[in-house]
Amino acid sequence: MSKVWVLGAGQLGAMMRHAATPLNVEVVPVDFNQSQSVELADDDVVTAEIELWPETNATKVLSKHPHFINREVFPRLADRFTQKQLLDELQIATAPWQLVDSDTQSQALYQALGETVLLKRRTGGYDGRGQYWLKQPEGTEVPEGWHQEAIAEQKIPFDEEVSLVGARDKEGNLYFYPLALNLHVNGILMASIAPLERLSGVQAEAEEMLGKLLTSLEYVGVMAMECFRVGEHLMVNELAPRVHNSGHWTQSGTSISQFESHIRAVAGLPMSKAVVKGQSVMINLIGVERNDDWLAVEGAELYWYGKEVRVGRKVGHINLTLNDSQQLNSSLNQLASSFPEPYPEVFSWVADNLK
Ligand code: ATP
Ligand code: MG
Ligand code: MG
């Protein structure tokens, strides 16, 4: 059977390999800087766990393979400028924006977008890195080094942040998971809850938006769409042409995780709608030491990535899927007691939103 090669050897590639094991599909994550040569067979396929990569010996070989799935999509979505153009072209609601060109002055941005404007670097930003707030009352100017490198967005006074993970197979069939409610602290995803009954009212709108994108791009595999909920409607914040952190809950919470869906789609295997198993909560482990006591908590499933712990770094996540809300609350309370700052805030957000 053909192999699935993954550009990148981080936790996402590792979880794809893990998900593909029961199917006996061999998934091979490749580190960009791998010195060992990679030798692909003609019928192998290539995918990626990230949207942007440096040109190295390994990435050159992988990205030139004729079965590199979604090859054209990566550069288009990796640049926020072309990503925003695509959303506008498809008339999908997104925060109003402007390109920060070589001579763009903050005054023009305030005039077009309002008195608080968020600059986002066109490429490479993640976890809120690569953002800069411009505030008219404080007279903030576009900083040096941001011209031609950023877009500017209107500040959206959103009610909450949600995301949709969807997949398209080679025949063009679409599959969606329920929306997840996400909490970000300082730009980093800390927790997701899915499904949530009160989000069912915007599920159809979300599926229409992502469906339009997947179809128009002739995309194959899993894509994630981060949105702001503003009243009864959604606005797209950003797109990720890959499996996504806010979809990790599908590992314990559904019959087919986002990782398995992605592998099935790119490998051309049959797909089906994932069955939701219960109420799920995903807690991201950001800069915290591993604590094996977590393993003693009923329903808790630990994914520890084996990375060195550093402040602000994603080093793992915990999924909990339970149908008994009392048990879910008690497991969350038990977990909460072993976490440092800022986690008390995270666990209380989870408790408030599960009510
Ligand atoms: P990720 O790690 O999700 O890839 P990122 O660095 O690419 O993050 P965004 O998702 O664009 O950045 O923004 C990070 C967070 O900043 C959002 O989740 C949201 O909380 C806030 N944010 C982004 N854009 C806006 C906006 N236009 N108005 C208000 N808040 C925003
Ligand atoms: Mg991003
Ligand atoms: Mg984001």
Coordinates of all heavy atoms in Angstrom, one line a residue, residues 51-111:
E51 N 1.3 25.1 7.1 CA 1.1 25.7 5.8 C 2.2 26.4 5.1 O 2.2 26.8 4.0 CB -0.1 26.7 5.9 CG -0.1 27.6 7.0 CD -0.8 27.1 8.3 OE1 -0.3 26.0 8.8 OE2 -1.7 27.7 8.8
L52 N 3.3 26.5 5.9 CA 4.5 27.2 5.4 C 5.8 26.4 5.8 O 5.8 26.0 7.0 CB 4.5 28.6 6.0 CG 5.3 29.7 5.3 CD1 4.8 30.0 3.9 CD2 5.3 30.9 6.1
W53 N 6.7 26.2 4.9 CA 7.9 25.5 5.3 C 9.1 26.1 4.6 O 9.0 26.7 3.5 CB 7.8 24.0 5.0 CG 7.3 23.8 3.6 CD1 8.0 23.8 2.4 CD2 5.9 23.6 3.2 NE1 7.1 23.6 1.4 CE2 5.9 23.5 1.8 CE3 4.7 23.6 3.9 CZ2 4.7 23.3 1.1 CZ3 3.5 23.4 3.2 CH2 3.5 23.3 1.8
P54 N 10.3 25.9 5.2 CA 11.5 26.4 4.6 C 11.9 25.5 3.5 O 11.5 24.3 3.5 CB 12.5 26.4 5.7 CG 12.0 25.3 6.7 CD 10.5 25.3 6.6
E55 N 12.6 26.0 2.5 CA 13.1 25.1 1.4 C 14.4 24.4 1.9 O 15.4 25.0 2.1 CB 13.3 25.9 0.1 CG 13.3 25.0 -1.1 CD 13.4 25.8 -2.4 OE1 12.3 26.2 -2.8 OE2 14.5 25.9 -2.9
T56 N 14.2 23.1 2.0 CA 15.4 22.3 2.4 C 15.4 21.1 1.5 O 14.5 20.9 0.7 CB 15.2 21.7 3.9 OG1 14.1 20.9 3.9 CG2 15.0 22.9 4.9
N57 N 16.4 20.3 1.6 CA 16.5 19.1 0.7 C 15.3 18.2 0.9 O 14.7 17.8 -0.1 CB 17.7 18.2 1.1 CG 19.0 18.9 0.6 OD1 19.0 19.8 -0.3 ND2 20.1 18.6 1.3
A58 N 14.8 18.0 2.1 CA 13.7 17.2 2.4 C 12.4 17.8 1.8 O 11.6 17.1 1.2 CB 13.5 16.9 3.9
T59 N 12.2 19.1 2.1 CA 10.9 19.7 1.7 C 10.8 19.8 0.2 O 9.7 19.7 -0.4 CB 10.6 21.1 2.3 OG1 11.6 22.0 1.9 CG2 10.6 21.0 3.9
K60 N 12.0 20.0 -0.5 CA 12.0 20.1 -2.0 C 11.5 18.8 -2.6 O 10.7 18.8 -3.5 CB 13.4 20.4 -2.5 CG 13.6 21.9 -2.7 CD 14.9 22.1 -3.4 CE 16.0 22.5 -2.4 NZ 17.3 22.8 -2.9
V61 N 12.0 17.7 -2.0 CA 11.6 16.3 -2.6 C 10.1 16.1 -2.4 O 9.4 15.8 -3.3 CB 12.4 15.2 -1.9 CG1 11.9 13.8 -2.4 CG2 13.9 15.3 -2.2
L62 N 9.6 16.4 -1.2 CA 8.2 16.1 -0.9 C 7.3 17.1 -1.7 O 6.3 16.6 -2.2 CB 7.9 16.3 0.6 CG 8.6 15.3 1.6 CD1 8.2 15.7 3.0 CD2 8.2 13.9 1.3
S63 N 7.6 18.3 -1.7 CA 6.7 19.3 -2.3 C 6.7 19.2 -3.9 O 5.8 19.7 -4.5 CB 7.0 20.7 -1.9 OG 8.3 21.1 -2.3
K64 N 7.6 18.5 -4.4 CA 7.7 18.3 -5.9 C 7.0 17.0 -6.3 O 6.8 16.7 -7.5 CB 9.1 18.3 -6.4 CG 9.7 19.7 -6.3 CD 10.9 19.8 -7.2 CE 11.4 21.3 -7.2 NZ 12.6 21.5 -6.4
H65 N 6.6 16.2 -5.4 CA 6.0 14.9 -5.7 C 4.6 15.1 -6.4 O 3.8 16.0 -6.0 CB 5.8 14.0 -4.5 CG 5.4 12.6 -4.8 ND1 4.1 12.2 -5.0 CD2 6.2 11.5 -4.9 CE1 4.1 10.9 -5.3 NE2 5.3 10.4 -5.2
P66 N 4.3 14.4 -7.5 CA 3.1 14.7 -8.2 C 1.8 14.4 -7.4 O 0.7 15.0 -7.7 CB 3.1 13.7 -9.4 CG 4.2 12.7 -9.1 CD 5.2 13.4 -8.2
H67 N 1.9 13.7 -6.3 CA 0.7 13.5 -5.5 C 0.8 14.3 -4.2 O 0.4 13.8 -3.1 CB 0.5 12.0 -5.1 CG 0.3 11.1 -6.3 ND1 0.6 9.8 -6.4 CD2 -0.3 11.4 -7.5 CE1 0.3 9.3 -7.6 NE2 -0.3 10.3 -8.3
F68 N 1.4 15.5 -4.3 CA 1.3 16.4 -3.1 C -0.1 17.0 -3.1 O -0.4 17.9 -4.0 CB 2.4 17.5 -3.3 CG 2.4 18.4 -2.1 CD1 1.9 18.1 -0.9 CD2 3.0 19.7 -2.3 CE1 1.9 19.0 0.2 CE2 3.1 20.6 -1.3 CZ 2.5 20.3 0.0
I69 N -0.9 16.6 -2.2 CA -2.3 17.0 -2.2 C -2.4 18.4 -1.7 O -1.8 18.9 -0.8 CB -3.1 16.1 -1.2 CG1 -2.7 14.6 -1.3 CG2 -4.6 16.3 -1.3 CD1 -3.3 13.8 -2.4
N70 N -3.3 19.2 -2.4 CA -3.6 20.6 -2.1 C -2.4 21.5 -2.3 O -2.3 22.6 -1.7 CB -4.1 20.8 -0.7 CG -5.3 19.9 -0.4 OD1 -6.2 19.7 -1.2 ND2 -5.3 19.3 0.8
R71 N -1.4 21.1 -3.1 CA -0.2 21.9 -3.3 C -0.5 23.4 -3.5 O 0.2 24.2 -3.0 CB 0.5 21.3 -4.6 CG 1.7 22.1 -5.1 CD 2.0 21.8 -6.5 NE 2.0 20.4 -6.7 CZ 3.1 19.6 -6.6 NH1 4.3 20.2 -6.3 NH2 3.1 18.3 -6.8
E72 N -1.4 23.7 -4.4 CA -1.7 25.1 -4.7 C -2.3 25.9 -3.6 O -2.3 27.1 -3.5 CB -2.6 25.2 -5.9 CG -2.3 24.3 -7.1 CD -1.0 24.7 -7.7 OE1 -0.6 25.9 -7.7 OE2 -0.3 23.8 -8.2
V73 N -3.0 25.1 -2.7 CA -3.8 25.8 -1.6 C -2.8 26.4 -0.5 O -3.1 27.4 0.0 CB -4.8 24.8 -1.0 CG1 -5.5 25.5 0.2 CG2 -5.7 24.3 -2.0
F74 N -1.7 25.7 -0.3 CA -0.9 26.1 0.9 C -0.4 27.5 0.7 O -0.6 28.3 1.7 CB 0.3 25.1 1.1 CG -0.2 23.8 1.6 CD1 -0.3 22.7 0.8 CD2 -0.6 23.7 2.9 CE1 -0.7 21.5 1.3 CE2 -1.1 22.4 3.4 CZ -1.1 21.3 2.6
P75 N 0.3 27.9 -0.4 CA 0.7 29.3 -0.4 C -0.4 30.3 -0.4 O -0.2 31.4 0.1 CB 1.5 29.4 -1.8 CG 1.1 28.2 -2.5 CD 0.6 27.1 -1.6
R76 N -1.5 29.9 -1.0 CA -2.7 30.8 -1.0 C -3.2 31.1 0.4 O -3.6 32.3 0.7 CB -3.8 30.2 -1.9 CG -4.7 31.2 -2.5 CD -5.4 30.6 -3.7 NE -6.5 31.5 -4.0 CZ -7.5 31.1 -4.8 NH1 -7.5 29.9 -5.3 NH2 -8.5 32.0 -5.1
L77 N -3.3 30.1 1.2 CA -3.8 30.3 2.6 C -2.8 30.8 3.6 O -3.1 31.3 4.6 CB -4.6 29.1 3.1 CG -5.9 28.7 2.3 CD1 -6.6 27.6 3.0 CD2 -6.8 29.9 2.0
A78 N -1.5 30.4 3.3 CA -0.4 30.8 4.2 C -0.2 32.3 4.3 O 0.4 32.8 5.2 CB 0.8 30.0 3.8
D79 N -0.6 33.0 3.2 CA -0.5 34.4 3.2 C -1.8 35.1 3.5 O -2.8 34.9 2.7 CB 0.0 34.8 1.8 CG 0.3 36.3 1.6 OD1 -0.3 37.1 2.4 OD2 1.0 36.7 0.7
R80 N -1.9 35.8 4.6 CA -3.2 36.4 5.0 C -3.8 37.3 3.9 O -5.0 37.4 3.8 CB -3.1 37.2 6.3 CG -2.9 36.3 7.5 CD -3.0 37.2 8.8 NE -2.4 36.4 9.9 CZ -3.2 35.7 10.7 NH1 -4.4 35.5 10.5 NH2 -2.6 35.1 11.7
F81 N -2.9 37.9 3.1 CA -3.4 38.8 2.0 C -4.2 38.0 1.0 O -5.4 38.3 0.7 CB -2.2 39.5 1.4 CG -2.6 40.4 0.2 CD1 -3.7 41.2 0.2 CD2 -1.8 40.3 -1.0 CE1 -4.0 42.0 -0.9 CE2 -2.1 41.1 -2.1 CZ -3.2 42.0 -2.0
T82 N -3.7 36.9 0.5 CA -4.4 36.1 -0.5 C -5.5 35.3 0.2 O -6.6 35.0 -0.5 CB -3.4 35.2 -1.3 OG1 -2.6 34.5 -0.4 CG2 -2.6 36.0 -2.3
Q83 N -5.4 35.0 1.4 CA -6.5 34.3 2.1 C -7.7 35.2 2.3 O -8.8 34.8 2.0 CB -6.0 33.9 3.5 CG -7.1 33.1 4.3 CD -6.7 32.6 5.7 OE1 -7.4 32.8 6.6 NE2 -5.5 32.0 5.8
K84 N -7.4 36.5 2.6 CA -8.5 37.4 2.7 C -9.2 37.7 1.4 O -10.4 37.9 1.3 CB -8.0 38.8 3.4 CG -7.8 38.7 4.9 CD -9.1 38.6 5.6 CE -9.1 39.4 6.9 NZ -10.4 39.3 7.6
Q85 N -8.3 37.8 0.3 CA -8.9 38.0 -1.0 C -9.8 36.9 -1.4 O -10.9 37.1 -2.0 CB -7.7 38.1 -2.0 CG -7.0 39.4 -2.0 CD -5.9 39.4 -3.1 OE1 -5.1 38.5 -3.2 NE2 -5.8 40.5 -3.8
L86 N -9.4 35.6 -1.1 CA -10.3 34.5 -1.4 C -11.6 34.6 -0.7 O -12.7 34.3 -1.2 CB -9.5 33.2 -1.0 CG -10.3 31.9 -1.1 CD1 -10.6 31.6 -2.6 CD2 -9.6 30.7 -0.4
L87 N -11.6 34.9 0.6 CA -12.8 35.1 1.4 C -13.7 36.1 0.8 O -14.9 35.9 0.6 CB -12.5 35.4 2.9 CG -11.9 34.3 3.7 CD1 -11.3 34.8 5.0 CD2 -12.9 33.2 4.0
D88 N -13.1 37.2 0.4 CA -13.9 38.3 -0.3 C -14.5 37.8 -1.6 O -15.7 38.1 -1.9 CB -13.1 39.6 -0.5 CG -12.8 40.3 0.8 OD1 -13.4 39.9 1.8 OD2 -12.0 41.3 0.8
E89 N -13.7 37.2 -2.4 CA -14.1 36.6 -3.7 C -15.3 35.7 -3.5 O -16.3 35.8 -4.3 CB -13.0 35.7 -4.3 CG -12.4 36.2 -5.5 CD -11.1 35.4 -5.8 OE1 -11.2 34.2 -6.0 OE2 -10.0 36.0 -5.7
L90 N -15.3 34.9 -2.5 CA -16.4 33.9 -2.3 C -17.5 34.5 -1.5 O -18.5 33.9 -1.1 CB -15.9 32.7 -1.6 CG -14.8 31.8 -2.4 CD1 -14.3 30.7 -1.6 CD2 -15.4 31.3 -3.7
Q91 N -17.4 35.8 -1.2 CA -18.4 36.5 -0.4 C -18.7 35.9 1.0 O -19.8 35.7 1.4 CB -19.7 36.8 -1.2 CG -19.4 37.6 -2.4 CD -20.6 37.9 -3.2 OE1 -21.3 37.0 -3.6 NE2 -21.0 39.2 -3.3
I92 N -17.6 35.5 1.6 CA -17.7 34.9 2.9 C -17.3 36.0 4.0 O -16.3 36.6 3.8 CB -16.8 33.7 3.1 CG1 -17.3 32.6 2.1 CG2 -16.7 33.2 4.5 CD1 -16.3 31.4 2.0
A93 N -18.2 36.1 4.9 CA -18.0 37.2 5.9 C -16.7 37.1 6.7 O -16.4 36.0 7.1 CB -19.2 37.3 6.9
T94 N -16.0 38.2 6.7 CA -14.7 38.2 7.5 C -14.5 39.6 8.0 O -15.1 40.5 7.5 CB -13.6 37.7 6.5 OG1 -12.4 37.6 7.3 CG2 -13.3 38.6 5.4
A95 N -13.6 39.8 8.9 CA -13.3 41.1 9.5 C -12.8 42.0 8.3 O -11.9 41.7 7.6 CB -12.2 41.1 10.5
P96 N -13.4 43.2 8.2 CA -13.0 44.2 7.1 C -11.5 44.4 7.3 O -10.9 44.5 8.4 CB -13.7 45.4 7.4 CG -15.0 44.9 8.1 CD -14.6 43.7 8.9
W97 N -10.8 44.5 6.2 CA -9.3 44.5 6.2 C -8.7 45.4 5.1 O -9.4 45.8 4.1 CB -8.8 43.1 6.0 CG -9.1 42.5 4.7 CD1 -10.3 42.0 4.3 CD2 -8.3 42.4 3.5 NE1 -10.3 41.6 3.0 CE2 -9.1 41.8 2.5 CE3 -7.0 42.8 3.3 CZ2 -8.5 41.6 1.2 CZ3 -6.4 42.5 2.0 CH2 -7.2 41.9 1.0
Q98 N -7.5 45.7 5.2 CA -6.7 46.5 4.2 C -5.3 45.9 4.1 O -4.8 45.4 5.1 CB -6.6 47.9 4.6 CG -7.8 48.7 4.8 CD -8.1 49.7 3.8 OE1 -7.3 50.6 3.5 NE2 -9.2 49.6 3.1
L99 N -4.7 46.0 3.0 CA -3.3 45.6 2.9 C -2.4 46.7 3.4 O -2.7 47.9 3.2 CB -3.0 45.3 1.4 CG -1.5 44.9 1.1 CD1 -1.2 43.6 1.7 CD2 -1.3 45.0 -0.4
V100 N -1.4 46.4 4.2 CA -0.5 47.4 4.6 C 0.6 47.4 3.6 O 1.5 46.6 3.6 CB 0.1 47.1 6.1 CG1 1.1 48.1 6.5 CG2 -1.1 46.9 7.1
D101 N 0.5 48.4 2.7 CA 1.5 48.5 1.6 C 2.7 49.3 2.0 O 2.8 49.8 3.2 CB 0.7 49.2 0.4 CG 1.1 48.5 -0.9 OD1 2.2 47.9 -0.9 OD2 0.2 48.5 -1.8
S102 N 3.6 49.6 1.1 CA 4.9 50.3 1.4 C 4.6 51.7 2.0 O 5.4 52.1 2.8 CB 5.8 50.3 0.2 OG 5.1 50.9 -0.9
D103 N 3.5 52.3 1.5 CA 3.3 53.7 2.0 C 2.1 53.9 2.8 O 1.6 55.0 3.0 CB 3.3 54.6 0.8 CG 2.2 54.2 -0.2 OD1 1.6 53.1 0.0 OD2 2.1 54.8 -1.3
T104 N 1.5 52.8 3.3 CA 0.3 52.9 4.1 C 0.5 53.6 5.5 O 1.4 53.2 6.2 CB -0.3 51.5 4.4 OG1 -0.5 50.8 3.1 CG2 -1.7 51.6 5.1
Q105 N -0.3 54.6 5.7 CA -0.2 55.3 7.0 C -1.3 54.9 7.9 O -2.4 54.6 7.5 CB -0.3 56.8 6.8 CG 0.8 57.4 5.8 CD 2.2 57.3 6.4 OE1 2.4 57.6 7.5 NE2 3.1 56.8 5.6
S106 N -1.0 54.9 9.3 CA -2.0 54.5 10.2 C -3.3 55.3 10.1 O -4.4 54.8 10.3 CB -1.5 54.6 11.6 OG -1.0 55.9 11.9
Q107 N -3.1 56.6 9.7 CA -4.3 57.5 9.6 C -5.3 56.9 8.6 O -6.5 56.9 8.9 CB -3.8 58.9 9.2 CG -4.7 60.0 9.7 CD -5.0 59.9 11.2 OE1 -4.1 59.6 12.0 NE2 -6.2 60.1 11.6
A108 N -4.8 56.4 7.5 CA -5.7 55.9 6.5 C -6.4 54.6 7.0 O -7.5 54.3 6.7 CB -4.9 55.5 5.2
L109 N -5.7 53.8 7.8 CA -6.2 52.6 8.4 C -7.3 52.9 9.4 O -8.4 52.3 9.4 CB -5.2 51.7 9.0 CG -4.1 51.2 8.1 CD1 -3.0 50.5 8.8 CD2 -4.7 50.3 7.0
Y110 N -7.1 54.0 10.2 CA -8.1 54.4 11.2 C -9.4 54.8 10.4 O -10.5 54.5 10.8 CB -7.6 55.5 12.1 CG -6.5 55.1 13.0 CD1 -5.3 55.9 13.1 CD2 -6.5 53.9 13.7 CE1 -4.3 55.5 14.0 CE2 -5.5 53.5 14.5 CZ -4.3 54.3 14.7 OH -3.3 53.9 15.5
Q111 N -9.1 55.6 9.4 CA -10.3 56.1 8.6 C -11.1 54.9 8.0 O -12.3 54.9 8.1 CB -9.8 57.0 7.5 CG -10.8 57.9 7.0 CD -10.2 59.2 6.5 OE1 -9.1 59.2 5.9 NE2 -10.8 60.3 6.8

